[in-house]
Amino acid sequence: MVTPDNSRTASDVVIDVQGLTNRFGKQTVHDKLDLQVRKGEILGVVGGSGTGKSVLLRSIVGLQKPAAGNVHVFGQNLSALAPQERSRYERRFGVLFQRGALFSSLTVLENVALPLIEYGGLAAREAQHLAAIKLALAGLPPEAGNKYPASLSGGMVKRAALARALALDPDILFLDEPTAGLDPIGAAAFDNLIVTLRDALGLTVFLVTHDLDTLYAICDRVAVLSAKRVLVVADIDTVAATPDPWVHDYFQGPRGRAASKAALSKAALSQQEPH
């Protein structure tokens, strides 16, 4: 386990997971898991199949009730709050689920406008105006708003789902495998978009992924789930050097070496460009 960075203050921590335990029947997925997420960072969460990456995300956003432990967000223990107060905090979350989870019977614009109507209390016309702005932020052309999800490409579905996640101007963005199924060019463009939005909107990003290019390209820190807990959380070079069989195979295998080399090449080119 990496020694915590004690130079950070409590105000830097926006998500504090303490002793989290999740069980499904007799199966224990997490056992006294601890993790902190810092304000303004992009934290990548990785781990082998069955380590509970998505379950951890769902526990933080309140969709999965843990068997034990606490989740503090913005300094509040959400499970201890009254429903109305808890809802107020949860509106500061934006969530992009796997495969988008858009409503197939609604247009893209209607999908994005829905949380503005349901939770923001806006009239339909005003909500759709703001939804169009969110679609533009997510990099979609205006004509995409009138289409149904089934008629969109995989990359456009991801961007539409991102626009919906941004609808209520969240402070924390949760992304569950956002580049899964995208071609390398589309995935790289999506990664760049996340960084741009983080910097422009001051977001904190909790990112579940298996995409090594994403980890090297945009993540400030990486947390590895293993043996029902967080094995290590640190910058990617420290994580990649962790003496663990799964970590070694994942980061030091052919794909990991290629992703590391690509990131180094990109950094070198960036330094050579005139500012």
Side-chain angles (χ1 to χ4, degrees):
M1 180 69 69
V2 171
T3 302
D5 182 357
N6 294 320
S7 65
R8 290 278 178 163
T9 64
S11 62
D12 291 315
V13 177
V14 293
I15 301 173
D16 189 6
V17 180
Q18 303 172 352
L20 186 73
T21 299
N22 278 305
R23 297 190 185 98
F24 297 93
K26 296 182 179 180
Q27 180 187 10
T28 299
V29 178
H30 303 133
D31 184 19
K32 299 178 182 177
L33 180 151
D34 297 327
L35 178 65
Q36 291 184 333
V37 183
R38 301 166 178 170
K39 182 178 181 180
E41 76 172 340
I42 299 177
L43 176 74
V45 178
V46 300
S49 178
T51 54
K53 301 180 293 294
S54 295
V55 174
L56 175 58
L57 184 155
R58 291 171 63 85
S59 297
I60 296 172
V61 302
L63 295 175
Q64 170 67 36
K65 185 177 180 180
N70 294 303
V71 177
H72 289 78
V73 185
F74 310 118
Q76 297 290 327
N77 183 353
L78 297 188
S79 64
L81 297 177
Q84 186 173 2
E85 184 71 4
R86 177 172 177 162
S87 177
R88 185 170 69 86
Y89 278 96
E90 289 175 344
R91 290 179 195 179
R92 297 170 69 180
F93 303 162
V95 185
L96 189 160
F97 296 100
Q98 290 188 37
R99 294 178 290 277
L102 297 173
F103 293 106
S104 60
S105 60
L106 301 179
T107 66
V108 168
L109 190 66
E110 290 168 340
N111 264 282
V112 180
L114 186 61
L116 291 164
I117 296 170
E118 292 292 322
Y119 300 108
L122 300 182
R125 185 172 182 177
E126 186 177 7
Q128 291 194 5
H129 174 72
L130 287 176
I133 296 173
K134 303 299 181 180
L135 288 172
L137 274 176
L140 285 173
E143 58 269 21
N146 295 322
K147 296 182 178 180
Y148 288 89
S151 65
L152 300 180
S153 67
M156 293 180 76
V157 167
K158 298 282 189 180
R159 288 175 181 263
L162 176 62
R164 187 178 63 181
L166 294 170
L168 295 175
D169 298 324
D171 295 303
I172 306 176
L173 191 59
F174 294 89
L175 308 175
D176 195 353
E177 300 284 5
T179 59
L182 300 184
D183 64 82
I185 295 175
F190 197 92
D191 287 343
N192 291 334
L193 175 61
I194 295 303
V195 174
T196 299
L197 291 173
R198 187 274 304 270
D199 294 342
L201 303 178
L203 297 168
T204 299
V205 181
F206 183 98
L207 168 64
V208 172
T209 187
H210 68 277
D211 192 325
L212 282 154
D213 290 321
T214 296
L215 293 172
Y216 275 99
I218 71 172
C219 290
D220 299 298
R221 293 192 303 153
V222 175
V224 178
L225 302 190
S226 178
K228 305 174 185 178
R229 299 186 182 182
V230 175
L231 172 70
V232 58
V233 55
D235 64 87
I236 195 163
D237 291 332
T238 300
V239 170
T242 300
D244 174 82
W246 185 88
V247 171
H248 180 272
D249 291 346
Y250 186 68
F251 286 98
Q252 306 302 332
R255 291 185 178 182
R257 294 197 301 270
S260 177
K261 184 177 180 180
L264 289 172
S265 298
K266 184 177 180 180
L269 287 173
S270 177
Q271 291 178 356
Q272 293 173 9
E273 291 178 356
H275 295 286

